[in-house]
Amino acid sequence: MKGEHPGRRGHPHSDSGPPSPGPREHRRVGASAPHTHRAHRLRHLLTYLYTPLFLALAVLFGVWATRSHNGEPPSPWALAGLAVLFAILALLALAVHSALHHRHRDHDDPRHSRH
């Protein structure tokens, strides 16, 4: 039609996103694809890697901040700020790990399920 753009809603050749699944295309509850399991394992691996790394960097920058002097670059305040930033990142990585652990436990053990 004249004036119609291909990206408009309802247009048969619209590239606005993937088509919505039909009623028969919904997955069964509890069925997980192999790529979902791999992604879950990758998230666990990353939290095991990043949590101690962020903690070590927080301690390193904290010690460096206490030993640096006010007149020398980098300033103790900048180093302390980096130490706090890495401590917060370590806490966030630990929270992600905890959430993954609880989700995995709930998925494996039906007694802990909230259904």
Side-chain angles (χ1 to χ4, degrees), residues 19-28:
S20 61
R24 294 183 197 175
E25 296 178 23
H26 289 286
R27 293 182 183 233
R28 290 189 331 247

Side-chain angles (χ1 to χ4, degrees), residues 9 14-15 42 47 94-95 100 104 109:
R9 182 187 238 182
S14 174
D15 290 333
L42 178 63
T47 58
L94 191 61
L100 287 172
H104 183 70
D109 190 0

Side-chain angles (χ1 to χ4, degrees), residues 2-114:
K2 191 173 182 178
E4 287 285 329
H5 297 289
R8 280 207 175 158
R9 182 187 238 182
H11 192 273
H13 301 290
S14 174
D15 290 333
S16 63
S20 61
R24 294 183 197 175
E25 296 178 23
H26 289 286
R27 293 182 183 233
R28 290 189 331 247
V29 175
S32 65
H35 69 276
T36 305
H37 184 66
R38 284 192 303 263
H40 185 75
R41 289 180 58 202
L42 178 63
R43 286 186 200 115
H44 266 288
L45 177 67
L46 289 175
T47 58
Y48 281 129
L49 175 72
Y50 284 121
T51 303
L53 176 68
F54 290 152
L55 282 174
L57 287 171
V59 169
L60 176 83
F61 282 115
V63 169
W64 190 6
T66 60
R67 293 185 180 190
S68 71
H69 301 289
N70 271 334
E72 303 172 10
S75 75
W77 290 104
L79 294 171
L82 285 173
V84 168
L85 173 72
F86 281 113
I88 290 170
L89 288 174
L91 288 174
L92 287 174
L94 191 61
V96 167
H97 175 74
S98 177
L100 287 172
H101 178 72
H102 287 294
R103 181 185 303 168
H104 183 70
R105 187 187 70 197
D106 287 348
H107 178 42
D108 285 348
D109 190 0
R111 292 178 299 162
H112 291 111
S113 182
R114 298 174 211 215

